[in-house]
Amino acid sequence: MNIPARIKDDLAFLTSLRRDLHAHPELGFEEERTSGIVAKLLEEAGIKVHRGLGGTGVVGTLQVGNGTRVIGLRADMDALAMPEIAERPYRSTMPGKMHACGHDGHTAMLLGAARHLAASTGFSGTVHFIFQPAEEGRGGARRMVEEGLFELFPCDAVYGLHNLPGLAVDEIAVVEGPQLASSDSWRITFRGTGTHGAKPHLGRDPITAAGTFLASLQTIVGRVVDPLQPAVVSACSLQAGDPKALNVIPDVVEIGGTARAYSANVRDQLEQEIGRLAEGTAVMYGIAADYQFERRIPPVVNDADATQRAVAAARAVFGEKVRTSFPPSTAGDDFAFFEQNAPGCYVWLGNGPAIDGALHHNTAYDFNDDALGYGAAYWVKLVEQELVA
């Protein structure tokens, strides 16, 4: 493994920093302490800092030499609204908040790379270190873009990195094409006519309609979407009636869920077909249906040229431990909004074994500090190869 000596010397500091961030998690758009630490460390390294995009976002800019190429490197900073159960010296000090996806590690790795690059200046061009708030479903990337990220800091390419439990810490996956699915939400309200549970013929039962709808929902993926195109439709919320009134058929049933796809066409299909089923079910049962489909996050699709560049940098650090064939995830990441403004590549960095089931968004999860050096070294090598001196 090719980890620069300066990064190796910085690992004790980066580990301490990562654990401090872990102990003080902040939710999306609330990352005041975290962004303050990020800005301070960037400024101390001699990097120009811009604050405020997306509320708590931080962009550090380092320009060296006369190279004209500009790239962006992104790390997310936010935590999740969930408790940390595992006992560890640096466990969350904030009840109900936890770094359960490794954004503390992502922040520390990019800061480590920034500190190294500012000290070595072994490149020619401009790199923007983008520390993004609110990746966990609160729209941080979209807000940064809407507030002028790429007008203020235009990029010829933009790169993202995420840790992955189950992949060894000395491995990295860099793959062209779809990496993460679109993440959209849907809501349906069936409106019937409530009545006595013993006299259903006097009303219009939305619960029976909801049962039919839910049973039919998976026919979208199973019988409408091309079998060669991955898709997910899940109902995740159901609200109906009152458990204290089991002799009352309610007027209303509310259902909500998620839809995932890797292509724009399938994403359109899912939106159309969920609504079609809801409307058809309502007609069948003589009730009304209200339907909303919220497009939240587009799919993350790696650009061919950016991926080739990322593969070259990864091989310079990881050697033969670079995976160029790796299955995509049905999770989502709003890094997709950055890729809509510049060619991009999103890679998976190994986080080691998922001990005791500690996968992303698990109360026992922890970022593996052994990955810090590898991630920082990858960022450094990517800049040095992209922006050749």
Side-chain angles (χ1 to χ4, degrees):
M1 295 299 158
N2 184 13
I3 300 178
R6 184 179 281 107
I7 289 179
K8 289 182 179 179
D9 293 342
D10 210 22
L11 284 178
F13 169 78
L14 294 178
T15 299
S16 176
L17 169 65
R18 201 285 299 182
R19 295 182 176 187
D20 176 74
L21 296 175
H22 187 93
H24 300 89
E26 296 173 300
L27 302 182
F29 299 126
E30 300 174 8
E31 307 96 337
E32 298 291 347
R33 181 181 186 273
T34 303
S35 62
I37 291 171
V38 168
K40 180 175 181 291
L41 290 173
L42 291 173
E43 288 170 345
E44 288 177 350
I47 296 171
K48 185 179 179 181
V49 172
H50 184 285
R51 301 185 66 176
L53 284 176
T56 49
V58 180
V59 180
T61 299
L62 181 61
Q63 183 175 1
V64 175
N66 57 5
T68 59
R69 186 167 175 82
V70 182
I71 63 172
L73 312 180
R74 176 270 211 164
D76 36 20
M77 301 185 293
D78 57 322
L80 284 152
M82 57 185 288
E84 182 165 13
I85 301 300
E87 291 290 340
R88 47 183 65 105
Y90 48 89
R91 67 176 293 177
S92 172
T93 60
M94 309 299 292
K97 299 178 183 180
M98 178 191 175
H99 269 296
C101 206
H103 298 184
D104 47 350
H106 301 168
T107 298
M109 284 188 291
L110 189 55
L111 282 169
R115 285 157 60 92
H116 173 92
L117 290 164
S120 66
T121 63
F123 65 95
S124 181
T126 302
V127 55
H128 299 306
F129 304 99
I130 304 168
F131 293 87
Q132 179 205 315
E135 185 277 329
E136 295 288 359
R138 297 192 175 191
R142 171 184 275 176
R143 184 169 163 186
M144 290 188 84
V145 170
E146 289 174 347
E147 293 181 6
L149 174 64
F150 288 96
E151 286 74 31
L152 293 168
F153 308 102
C155 295
D156 295 309
V158 63
Y159 296 90
L161 176 154
H162 205 291
N163 75 90
L164 186 64
L167 199 64
V169 291
D170 62 349
E171 289 185 299
I172 191 170
V174 189
V175 184
E176 181 183 338
Q179 297 306 297
L180 295 129
S182 58
S183 177
D184 300 322
S185 298
W186 55 267
R187 293 175 177 83
I188 291 165
T189 301
F190 286 121
R191 302 185 185 278
T193 302
T195 186
H196 197 298
K199 301 176 181 180
H201 62 292
L202 299 180
R204 295 288 185 177
D205 183 0
I207 289 185
T208 302
T212 298
F213 169 79
L214 291 171
S216 304
L217 194 61
Q218 295 311 316
T219 63
I220 296 173
V221 174
R223 287 295 178 269
V224 178
V225 175
D226 183 341
L228 300 180
Q229 294 291 327
V232 176
V233 179
S234 294
C236 303
S237 174
L238 178 64
Q239 305 291 327
D242 188 332
K244 296 178 182 178
L246 298 183
N247 59 350
V248 177
I249 294 174
D251 292 298
V252 171
V253 174
E254 295 178 341
I255 306 172
T258 188
R260 312 277 171 136
Y262 294 118
S263 76
N265 289 340
V266 174
R267 194 183 190 193
D268 291 342
Q269 271 189 305
L270 298 184
E271 178 177 3
Q272 178 180 343
E273 292 298 320
I274 295 170
R276 183 183 64 82
L277 273 183
E279 189 60 36
T281 302
V283 171
M284 182 189 304
Y285 286 94
I287 63 175
D290 301 332
Y291 174 51
Q292 293 179 316
F293 190 94
E294 179 187 0
R295 294 191 171 227
R296 297 176 58 253
I297 303 172
V300 172
V301 182
N302 283 349
D303 174 78
D305 180 63
T307 301
Q308 288 182 357
R309 295 169 183 269
V311 167
R315 284 183 172 148
V317 177
F318 294 85
E320 298 302 314
K321 294 295 187 75
V322 179
R323 296 197 187 189
T324 56
S325 177
F326 198 76
S329 170
T330 51
D333 192 309
D334 63 2
F335 179 77
F337 289 107
F338 292 170
E339 284 191 328
Q340 289 182 337
N341 290 269
C345 181
Y346 183 103
V347 307
W348 297 106
L349 176 71
N351 196 62
I355 299 172
D356 297 327
L359 297 167
H360 295 146
H361 297 212
N362 184 287
T363 55
Y365 171 87
D366 191 21
F367 181 85
N368 190 334
D369 290 320
D370 291 340
L372 288 170
Y374 295 117
Y378 164 74
W379 283 137
V380 167
K381 185 55 65 174
L382 182 62
V383 171
E384 290 175 345
Q385 290 193 357
E386 277 265 16
L387 310 177
V388 179

